[in-house]
Amino acid sequence: MTPPIVQSPVRSGSRTYKGFGVSPGIAIGRAVIVEKKVASVYRVPIKEEDVGREVNRFLEALDVTRRELLDLKKKVSRSMGEEYASIFEAHALMVSDPSFADKVIQKIESEQVNAEWAVSEVQEELEARFESFEDEYLRDRGADVKDVGDSLLKNLQGIAHHDLSEITHDIIILADDLLPSDTVHFNRRPIVGFATESGGRTSHTSIIAKSLFMPAVIGVPRLTQIVDNDELVIVDGYEGTIVVNPSPALVAEYRSRVSRHEEYERKLLENRTIPATTKDDRQISLQANIELVEELNDAIRYGAEGIGLYRSEFLYISKSPVLPTEEEHFNLYRRLAEALDPNWVVIRTFDLGGRKLAREVIGSKENNPVLGLRGLRLCMKHRDMFKTQLRAILRASAFGKIKLMFPLVSGLQELRQVKTLVREIKSELDAEGIAYNPELQIGIMIEVPAAAIIADLLATEVDFLSIGTNDLIQYSLAIDRSNENVGYLYEPLHPAILRLVSMVIQAGRKAGIPVSMCGEMASDPLYAIVLLGLGLEIYSMNPSAIPVIKNVIRSVRYKDCKRIAELSLQKKTAQEIEEFVIESVAMRFPDGLVNNNP
Amino acid sequence: MFTKDIEIKNKLGLHARAAAKLVHAAAKYRSSIKVRKGSEEVDAKSILGILLLAAGRGSVITLTADGEDEMDAVAAIQNLVDAKFDEVE
């Protein structure tokens, strides 16, 4: 249903905020801000004759919560596997646990108080007991109790008062952060999209948004403070932006963009079988970055020539707090390789940052995780965990075209150590008589500036290089893109970045090995032109970006792009470069970059 | 009545998912089943009870089952604990 268009009661004018699109699509609705804390709970004495009714109200909420959790478990189990869903089963068991319910009922009856108060009292008692535990991991289970108690309170209040489902217009959920339990409500009307302040690309929020096919944007700074409840909001999951209080004209434009986009996508998909070749016959390979096996279909549908980056972290996240087995790794990689044959899949070994999920797995906490134990360093420190994955990748390499890639390499020493480890595992497999591809190609991500600077040295000891621009830009420019004070300085066209990228491509060419790019930069049409000119031949990106970039490549001449890149390298600032590139594109390709001229 | 001491061997101890598995196993039997650790005794069919035992790796729990299928019940739980709840470490 179309929400009525009214002016904001508090702020006026359209505002646009930037985050990261984690689930594509456009959603338009009224803002509903979810505060992390549950609404204040008051102790309300009730009459003796109302006690029975209050207990029933509690039991009803209990039942609703339990059914929601089992429902969620089923859904998550279908999209993400049994093991991942089992936490919701544990939560459902807690809700049904008589030792919890009995205490609440007892409190309602003996103190003659409202159910909300009784629930929060029992919840607090339980949490206090968990907090006294010595075992850190078991102590954290207090969070499960809190999560369950909070859902129960929400339902209690929903039954007593009102529920989102009573709202008749479309709504957008805005939150600082979302718990798995929050998403219980998310796949049903009237919710059409959501956005959060926090959350990484492999966070719960992004994973669940994707599996619900619901447009979502994460990482919007101060989101819950800059939007008011009931303001009209557009979530643009393609661009990673949210537009607040848009003008009626803008809403109309977005609405037509929704339909235009469907039309556009249909058109784009027509090019899926034709090669990404420039007008002067330079052959480019467009591949996909994926992290879920389910995304394979997308990759194939959008015409990817293989997987240039398979992020292997999700298996760890879905199994957390236990570690995946070698068989689980192996089955997954074999499935990928078999599904993609005759194309290649590049499996990047796990790059778990020092965030929450990693903490559960590796038990460390760091002040500065971006510069801490992550990437290859973490792999080498947790060698057993790493060996399990490497063995599985090697074994799967006997079943299809797999390449092995290591993240966050900063020097040769590290690379040599990890290559020694691979050799050791190969001899283990030999001794056990287990098959693997002895010629398995090994490559590295270039995402630390030091690695880019010594790319010539690294290139002589690996089979391929892949430039990870997201981290390379962040580390080179010392910019945290999600930090609102400096985020604007995140400039992919900064002369330093262009020089580094150019150096890496040259180093690969000299050593005679392929260089690809798997960062976001590769999926931007404007940047793609500069990269083409710098000599990049393999682009890897989100599957849905492939048809767009393919059209760009088919619309241009390499010779022209090379000239644009050469001249860009002589400019002095990111802004000068950007202006120059835009101007050149407008001049050389007046028909635009998405015209698929045959 | 049948009683047995069992050592918790999985890395994370009786955490939420492991406790859920134990509760499911216990619920299949008609016997009343208690789990004791130190001075604390809880119902094996209560997940909160199990979690509140705070039984980490290496701790020893005492299972006591009482009823027609008491031996089977204890054996089933013991198998689950010994198999480290089918977790991988």
Side-chain angles (χ1 to χ4, degrees), chain A residues 83-84 86-87 89-90 93-94 97 99-100 126 129-130 133 135 137-138 141 144-145 320-323 325 361, chain B residues 11-17 20-21 23-24 40 46-49 51-57 87-89:
Chain A
E83 199 62 29
Y84 191 69
S86 63
I87 190 67
E89 164 133 27
L93 277 173
M94 285 183 201
D97 194 326
S99 73
F100 177 73
L126 282 169
R129 289 184 63 188
F130 277 103
F133 290 174
D135 183 314
Y137 184 72
L138 291 174
R141 292 317 91 207
D144 290 312
V145 174
S320 169
V322 296
L323 291 172
T325 63
V361 174
Chain B
K11 185 176 169 195
L12 297 168
L14 288 178
H15 61 90
R17 286 184 237 209
K21 285 181 182 169
V23 170
H24 270 302
E40 193 117 19
S46 155
I47 189 168
L48 284 169
L51 285 175
L52 285 169
L53 283 181
R57 180 187 211 157
E87 286 165 7
V88 185
E89 287 158 22

